[in-house]
Amino acid sequence: MNFICYDFETTGRNSTWDQIIQVGAILTNENFEEIDTFESSCILKPGTVPEPGALMVTYQMPGEKTNLSHYCLVKSMWEKFSYWKDNYDPIVFIGYNSINFDEEFLRRALYKNLFDPLLTTKYNFGVPGKRGDIINLARTVNIFYPGTLKTTFNEKGKEVYKLDELAPANSVMGEDFMFHDALEDVKATIEIARIIKNRAPILWNSALKTMHKKDVLKFINDEEFVLSSEFYFGTLRTYVVASICEGPKGGLKVFDLRNDPSQFIGLEYQELKKIISEAKPKIIRSIVINKSPVLMPPEPEFVCSVVGYENIGIEELSRRAKILKENIQLNSQLKRLISEDVKEEIQDQSDKEPEECIWNFGFASAQEKGLMAKFHSSDWQGKLEIADHFQNLRTNDYNTSQRYKIYSEFARLIVYEEKPEILSEELKTKIRKKLADRIFYPDTDTVRSPWNNSNRAHMQVEKMGNEIEEEGKIYWESEVPMCSQRKLPAKECTCTSKCKSCDCYKYNFLQKIKDLIHKIENEHEGLNFN
C-alpha cells in the first residue's frame, strides 16, 4: 500500500467559493519513504476575492511567485495524482484534516474545471479508492497509547491538535520549518503519521481497515462490538457500540453498550421509542462510514481505557451485544425506530449557482466524460467549441440538461480565465458582469453573499489593522505607520513573519492584501449591478 499525502493553501474556508492557491503532495510507500513529490501554486481566478484572514495565516500572496492559472494548476495536479494512482495502486489519500477540508476543495476544484470530482474514492482497475485523515488518529492515539504524542494546551486547558503546534511539540521538523506552506505541512503530517504507525500499531492497522466504506462495514461486522471515536468541534468522545443496521440515509446505526438492552425487552414500541428518543447521551449513535471513522477492536486494555465502560467488563459487554443481535423483537423495533427517524429535506435547486451544484444533478455520463477529456486535450478554440457543444446538447432528462448547462458555463469560464480574446464581446461582457456582481455584492444586515466580496474584505483588513495598532507595536507619525520597536517607517522594517518584537511584517503584508483587493475592484469597476 502506498500513500499520497497532500495539503492545500487556499484563499479562505469556503470550498465552494474560495480556491486553492498552493498544492503540495508527496507519494510514499507504506513505510513513508518518499517516492515522488508534487508542488505548485497559482494566481487568483477572475472574480475571486480572498479572505484576508486566510492569507495572513499563510503569508502567501497569490501570484507573487508564479503566473500559472488556477486551471493549469488543477490540470497538472489531476495529471500527477492520476499517474500516481495508475502506477502505484493500491493508493490511500491522506492529509491533516484533509477529509473535512482539503478534499472538499479538491472535489470542487476538479468539478469546476471539468474533471471527475471523485478522484480519491473512485475504483481503479477494480480497486476502490481509499482515504484517511491523520488528525483524527492524532486526537485519539493518547487514549489507547498514552504518551504517544506530546500536546500543547490552549487558555481553556484543552489539548491543541493544530499541526503547527503538534509538530514542534514532537520535534518532528527543524527550526527553519515553515508551517502553512503546503509541501512543508505535508512533510510534518507524514512525520506525525510515522509516530502513530510505529508507536500505536493496532490503532494504525485499524485505521487502514476503515479507509473505504465497505471495509468499515466488514470491520464492524467481524467483531461482536467495537470502540468508536467521535469528534465534536475538536472534543473527543469514545463509545463501545454494537451494530444495528445501516441507516436510511447512509451511515451505520449502532447501539451504545453502556446501556443494557435487556431492559428494553418486552416494552411496547411507543414506550421504547420515547425512552430512546429522550435519552442523553444518545443510545442509538451513528458512524459515518465514508469518512474513515476511528474504530478499534474490543481488546480488554482498550475497553478499560474508555470512560464510562471501565467497570462494565468484557463479558458483560459481550452479553449485551449478543442480546442485541439475537433478540429478534428488540432488533426489529430498533430498526423500525431508525427507519422512522428520517426528516424530509426539500431543497430548492432553482436558484443555485453552478458552483453550488456538485451533488445536485448526478454525475457525468460516459459521453460527458468523453467531451471533458476532449476539452482538456484541445487548443483554446477547440475548448470554446466544446463549451458550445455542451450548450447545444438536447435531452429529455432534467438532471442531464442541467449538467450540460453547468459544464458549458464552466468551460467558458476556463476559456475566459486563459484566453479571453477569443470570446465574443457579448459573452466576455456577460461573464465580466457576473463576476463584477459577485465582487461588489452589497451585503446587508440580513442578506450576505456566500462568497467573499470586496466590501467585506476591506472591513476585514481594517479590523486586523486596527488590532495591530491597538497592540501598540505600530504607531502613526505624520500619517506614516511607524515601527514601535525600531522607530522607523513600518515598510522599512526588515522583520520576518516569525518576529515577536514587532508586527511590521504582518502590517506590511496586510497592506499588500489591501492593494490586491483594490486591483480586483479596478479590473471590474463599472460593471456591477447595471
Side-chain angles (χ1 to χ4, degrees):
M1 180 178 290
N2 297 310
F3 297 98
I4 295 175
C5 187
Y6 71 105
D7 181 76
F8 298 140
E9 301 303 332
T10 66
T11 60
R13 296 160 292 177
N14 189 324
S15 59
T16 298
W17 296 108
D18 286 303
Q19 70 164 86
I20 299 166
I21 54 175
Q22 186 195 22
V23 53
I26 298 178
L27 172 68
T28 77
N29 62 18
E30 62 182 2
N31 295 317
F32 296 116
E33 295 167 334
E34 184 178 307
I35 299 172
D36 196 6
T37 65
F38 174 75
E39 192 276 333
S40 188
S41 56
C42 70
I43 62 176
L44 286 178
K45 289 174 59 180
T48 299
V49 178
E51 278 190 29
L55 299 186
M56 291 294 286
V57 169
T58 65
Y59 288 113
Q60 291 191 40
M61 187 62 62
E64 194 169 50
K65 298 179 181 179
T66 181
N67 60 0
L68 189 72
S69 71
H70 182 258
Y71 168 72
C72 287
L73 177 142
V74 173
K75 186 171 185 285
S76 61
M77 176 175 63
W78 165 268
E79 291 170 347
K80 177 62 79 172
F81 285 2
S82 297
Y83 174 80
W84 285 347
K85 278 179 65 72
D86 290 343
N87 291 276
Y88 293 94
D89 244 2
I91 284 282
V92 177
F93 284 84
I94 61 172
Y96 203 82
N97 197 29
S98 53
I99 288 181
N100 289 325
F101 185 83
D102 301 272
E103 187 162 11
E104 293 304 314
F105 271 91
L106 175 63
R107 287 180 166 180
R108 281 159 179 78
L110 295 175
Y111 164 67
K112 290 182 281 188
N113 287 278
L114 302 181
F115 294 100
D116 184 354
L118 299 179
L119 172 68
T120 62
T121 56
K122 72 176 183 178
Y123 279 75
N124 191 38
F125 301 108
V127 178
K130 298 185 178 184
R131 59 198 183 132
D133 202 326
I134 303 304
I135 191 173
N136 289 337
L137 298 181
R139 287 168 172 162
T140 308
V141 65
N142 285 345
I143 298 293
F144 304 116
Y145 293 87
T148 299
L149 289 175
K150 298 175 183 177
T151 57
T152 57
F153 295 84
N154 63 20
E155 63 278 3
K156 295 181 179 179
K158 289 188 175 182
E159 288 185 293
V160 176
Y161 288 94
K162 292 180 179 180
L163 187 61
D164 58 1
E165 294 198 33
L166 189 66
N170 290 275
S171 305
V172 299
M173 309 305 292
E175 291 183 2
D176 295 333
F177 184 79
M178 291 295 294
F179 287 103
H180 303 299
D181 172 89
L183 194 59
E184 296 288 88
D185 283 357
V186 167
K187 293 175 183 177
T189 299
I190 288 173
E191 294 308 313
I192 294 297
R194 194 194 306 274
I195 292 173
I196 296 170
K197 178 179 185 293
N198 292 337
R199 301 181 189 173
I202 295 178
L203 175 63
W204 180 258
N205 290 331
S206 297
L208 296 181
K209 298 175 183 177
T210 63
M211 292 179 171
H212 187 273
K213 59 184 179 181
K214 289 185 178 180
D215 295 337
V216 174
L217 292 174
K218 184 178 186 307
F219 184 101
I220 294 173
N221 291 331
D222 284 350
E223 302 284 356
E224 267 191 313
F225 54 91
V226 299
L227 285 70
S228 172
S229 294
E230 302 176 11
F231 307 93
Y232 297 97
F233 302 102
T235 300
L236 169 67
R237 295 284 186 272
T238 299
Y239 302 89
V240 181
V241 298
S243 173
I244 302 173
C245 64
E246 290 188 53
K249 288 192 173 184
L252 188 71
K253 296 296 183 179
V254 294
F255 187 94
D256 182 356
L257 294 178
R258 184 168 9 196
N259 305 276
D260 185 350
S262 61
Q263 65 183 308
F264 302 125
I265 295 175
L267 294 181
E268 294 293 330
Y269 174 70
Q270 292 301 328
E271 185 180 2
L272 173 69
K273 181 177 180 179
K274 184 176 187 297
I275 292 172
I276 289 182
S277 299
E278 296 177 355
K280 293 188 183 304
K282 293 179 180 179
I283 296 174
I284 296 178
R285 310 198 68 83
S286 298
I287 295 177
V288 183
I289 61 176
N290 67 342
K291 289 194 173 185
S292 190
V294 177
L295 304 176
M296 288 286 279
E299 302 292 338
E301 65 268 30
F302 298 144
V303 174
C304 290
S305 67
V306 180
V307 175
Y309 303 86
E310 62 269 44
N311 298 321
I312 297 177
I314 292 293
E315 289 186 4
E316 173 62 14
L317 290 169
S318 179
R319 182 191 72 83
R320 294 178 182 185
K322 189 175 182 180
I323 290 173
L324 195 67
K325 182 178 181 181
E326 296 181 354
N327 190 289
I328 297 175
Q329 181 184 13
L330 177 60
N331 195 276
S332 177
Q333 286 179 319
L334 292 175
K335 288 179 179 177
R336 177 185 172 186
L337 194 157
I338 290 166
S339 67
E340 290 179 354
D341 188 28
V342 180
K343 296 178 181 179
E344 289 294 327
E345 296 181 4
I346 301 174
Q347 295 183 344
D348 180 13
Q349 300 175 0
S350 59
D351 60 350
K352 281 194 171 186
E353 294 287 342
E355 292 86 349
E356 299 172 306
C357 296
I358 183 172
W359 310 123
N360 293 95
F361 301 114
F363 299 114
S365 66
Q367 178 193 18
E368 293 158 26
K369 288 179 180 179
L371 279 173
M372 291 176 184
K374 187 177 179 182
F375 175 89
H376 297 303
S377 62
S378 298
D379 60 21
W380 289 107
Q381 188 59 47
K383 284 178 169 60
L384 183 56
E385 290 171 2
I386 291 170
D388 294 337
H389 186 57
F390 269 121
Q391 181 68 33
N392 295 327
L393 287 172
R394 292 291 178 265
T395 177
N396 291 325
D397 180 72
Y398 176 75
N399 285 345
T400 303
S401 67
Q402 293 303 304
R403 290 200 305 273
Y404 290 164
K405 293 178 183 177
I406 288 170
Y407 298 152
S408 176
E409 179 164 339
F410 287 162
R412 287 169 174 164
L413 283 170
I414 292 169
V415 175
Y416 176 81
E417 177 183 357
E418 293 276 355
K419 207 78 171 172
E421 62 268 23
I422 71 170
L423 299 174
S424 68
E425 285 302 318
E426 179 183 1
L427 180 55
K428 197 166 15 178
T429 300
K430 181 180 178 181
I431 292 173
R432 292 189 68 209
K433 169 72 165 55
K434 183 170 185 177
L435 296 179
D437 285 349
R438 290 179 179 174
I439 291 167
F440 296 101
Y441 190 91
D443 285 344
T444 67
D445 292 339
T446 57
V447 180
R448 287 166 56 90
S449 63
W451 54 82
N452 202 33
N453 56 63
S454 63
N455 186 54
R456 195 185 306 165
H458 280 304
M459 289 192 291
Q460 292 166 344
V461 167
E462 183 178 357
K463 180 182 178 182
M464 287 186 284
N466 289 339
E467 289 172 352
I468 293 173
E469 292 175 16
E470 288 170 4
E471 290 175 0
K473 294 181 180 180
I474 295 288
Y475 70 96
W476 288 81
E477 185 176 291
S478 301
E479 299 186 356
V480 175
M482 303 290 289
C483 174
S484 298
Q485 180 73 17
R486 296 172 176 83
K487 308 301 181 184
L488 50 75
K491 66 180 181 180
E492 297 178 13
C493 181
T494 57
C495 70
T496 69
S497 60
K498 293 185 176 181
C499 180
K500 302 295 183 182
S501 61
C502 74
D503 278 339
C504 292
Y505 186 92
K506 183 188 294 186
Y507 191 85
N508 291 333
F509 193 85
L510 201 55
Q511 300 313 301
K512 285 186 178 182
I513 297 174
K514 187 175 182 179
D515 292 341
L516 175 63
I517 298 167
H518 281 308
K519 180 175 180 289
I520 294 168
E521 290 177 320
N522 291 338
E523 289 172 349
H524 295 82
E525 194 171 12
L527 290 167
N528 58 306
F529 298 99
N530 292 329

